Amino acid sequence: FAVYPNPAQEMLNVVVSASEAPIRIRIMNTVGAVVYEQQHKLGAGHNTLSLDISSLADGMYFLEVTDEQSGKVERFSVSH
């Protein structure tokens, strides 16, 4: 998957290639606390999700995308 823009301000776009399966998106701060978690049902192929991150404080975060088989983490920053 890919995330943009980085650094982000109000919205973070997540591009995910998936089969028709649910995925879980979590955002964690640098101490590991989960600050956002949501499950999404995606169609097959490339999917772009826009996440409202306007409530997150400036700083570094980790975005984790997991499906039934695997997970991946990307780092991004927020700068309002």
Side-chain angles (χ1 to χ4, degrees), residues 1 14-21 23 41-49:
F1 72 96
V14 182
V15 181
V16 180
S17 295
S19 57
E20 290 188 30
I23 64 163
K41 176 89 171 156
L42 303 179
H46 293 290
N47 297 270
T48 301
L49 304 169

Side-chain angles (χ1 to χ4, degrees), residues 1 8-9 14 21-22 26-27 33 40-41 43 45 51 53 59 64 66 68-69 72 77:
F1 72 96
Q9 293 181 342
V14 182
R26 293 193 318 165
I27 297 176
H40 296 271
K41 176 89 171 156
L51 308 179
I53 58 164
E64 176 186 62
T66 56
E68 297 170 334
Q69 300 161 356
K72 186 175 176 187
S77 60

Side-chain angles (χ1 to χ4, degrees), residues 6-78:
N6 191 8
Q9 293 181 342
E10 304 295 321
M11 300 297 289
L12 181 69
N13 297 302
V14 182
V15 181
V16 180
S17 295
S19 57
E20 290 188 30
I23 64 163
R24 182 180 66 182
I25 294 179
R26 293 193 318 165
I27 297 176
M28 284 108 16
N29 62 21
T30 55
V31 295
V34 176
V35 295
Y36 175 94
E37 184 169 12
Q38 193 163 10
Q39 204 150 325
H40 296 271
K41 176 89 171 156
L42 303 179
H46 293 290
N47 297 270
T48 301
L49 304 169
S50 294
L51 308 179
D52 180 1
I53 58 164
S54 60
S55 64
L56 298 181
D58 288 3
M60 189 67 60
Y61 293 88
F62 299 94
L63 183 128
E64 176 186 62
V65 176
T66 56
D67 61 16
E68 297 170 334
Q69 300 161 356
S70 64
K72 186 175 176 187
V73 176
E74 290 285 338
R75 186 175 66 175
F76 73 96
S77 60
V78 173

